[in-house]
Amino acid sequence: MKHALVTGGSRGIGRAVSVKLASMGYNVIVNYVSNEAQAEATIKLIEEAGGTGELLKFDVSNLEQTVAAITGWQAAHKGEYIEVLVNNAGIRKDNILPLMPSEDWYKVLGIGLNAFYNVTQPLIQPMLRKKFGRVINMASLSGLKGLPGQTNYSAAKGGIIAATKALAQEVGKRGVTVNAIAPGFIKTDMVEGLNEEELVAQIPAGRFGNPEEVAALVGFLASKDASYITGEVISINGGLYS
Ligand code: NAP
């Protein structure tokens, strides 16, 4: 059985990615931190689509919790490994820097950047040993361009982009690709409260994107067809930025 782990798979983009990877034959390990009912709803969608999935609750920003969950999974699945990792969990806590409380800086960096280390480090070794793996990191337009009111989020996403490029060069010879996706505005809980009408006016495609559109890109990057793409950041933003 082939396994994929999607962090933050309980809602939004992570849910759509989980369903997509399940449709490609992966047993999907759906990570979440608090929203059990939504995480279970993702599993239901996976099963309705004929796939299999399992829940793995941990806070990606907590190193001990993350390592315990992953090593526990590995111990229960001797001889198997997680060949696709989608580092998707993320939050935003927007504020201009002069007004930003330190906890909002550290929280966003903890979940958006430190988690990359926490989750990827224990999973990359088996990928290298098996000479096949896919690491797909959910970055953002904010990490490419920098957005005012999001110095914390831009820093996390910019860091993820740089880490993607560095790791891709470390593991390229072993059949492991590492790529980032930089979405613009995608209709999920994360964009609730934003002025959609005003923002859509700036988007050439004239609308927000759907989680399924991002999931299709993840599916491609996870596939063997994308074997020669690594260290890239692929934007999916309706033409908002290039
Ligand atoms: P969302 O709907 O708010 O969902 C966030 C997901 O992350 C949930 O599954 C949540 O789990 C999980 N999560 C949050 N903190 C976590 C933690 N400490 N440990 C484990 N899981 C955690 O967000 P989304 O819009 O789908 O965003 C997914 C990714 O895309 C994020 O990295 C985001 O930055 C990026 N992105 C989104 C947009 C957009 O417009 N939506 C644009 C650019 C980039 P619970 O359900 O348990 O809370």
Side-chain angles (χ1 to χ4, degrees), residues 7-15 31-36 38-39 57-62 65 87-92 107 110-112 115 138-142 153 157 181-191 194 208-209 211 214:
T7 69
S10 48
R11 291 184 281 130
I13 294 170
R15 168 179 286 173
N31 159 257
Y32 68 106
V33 66
S34 60
N35 214 325
E36 188 152 358
Q38 294 289 337
K57 180 180 180 178
F58 58 90
D59 176 350
V60 292
S61 68
N62 182 314
Q65 243 187 62
N87 283 309
N88 166 79
I91 60 160
R92 65 182 182 89
K107 188 124 215 251
I111 296 170
M138 210 52 73
S140 168
L141 169 68
S142 186
Y153 188 79
K157 297 304 189 182
I181 292 177
F185 293 100
I186 309 298
K187 258 190 176 300
T188 69
D189 293 347
M190 188 173 272
V191 298
L194 298 184
F208 280 8
V214 181

Side-chain angles (χ1 to χ4, degrees), residues 2 4 17 20-21 23-26 83-86 132-136 175-179 181 215-230 234:
K2 300 189 302 174
V17 167
K20 176 69 190 177
L21 291 174
S23 79
M24 292 166 65
Y26 284 98
E83 65 174 54
V84 175
L85 164 63
V86 185
F132 182 84
R134 296 282 186 263
V135 179
I136 299 160
V176 178
T177 68
V178 187
N179 290 291
I181 292 177
L217 179 52
V218 173
F220 172 64
L221 288 174
S223 74
K224 292 226 162 77
D225 290 340
S227 295
Y228 205 52
I229 301 173
T230 195
I234 303 180

Side-chain angles (χ1 to χ4, degrees), residues 14 20 29 31 54 58 66 73 81 89 92 96 109 114 122 129 132 147 151 161 186 188 193-194 220 227 230:
K20 176 69 190 177
I29 304 155
N31 159 257
E54 57 190 287
F58 58 90
T66 302
W73 186 93
Y81 83 113
R92 65 182 182 89
I96 55 168
L109 270 287
N114 295 341
R129 273 199 301 274
F132 182 84
L147 291 179
T151 54
I161 288 170
I186 309 298
T188 69
L194 298 184
F220 172 64
S227 295
T230 195

Side-chain angles (χ1 to χ4, degrees), residues 74-103:
Q74 288 168 331
H77 295 81
K78 289 258 183 281
E80 298 175 49
Y81 83 113
I82 293 168
E83 65 174 54
V84 175
L85 164 63
V86 185
N87 283 309
N88 166 79
I91 60 160
R92 65 182 182 89
K93 289 200 173 288
D94 298 351
N95 211 331
I96 55 168
L97 192 73
L99 298 180
M100 187 180 291
S102 59
E103 58 265 31

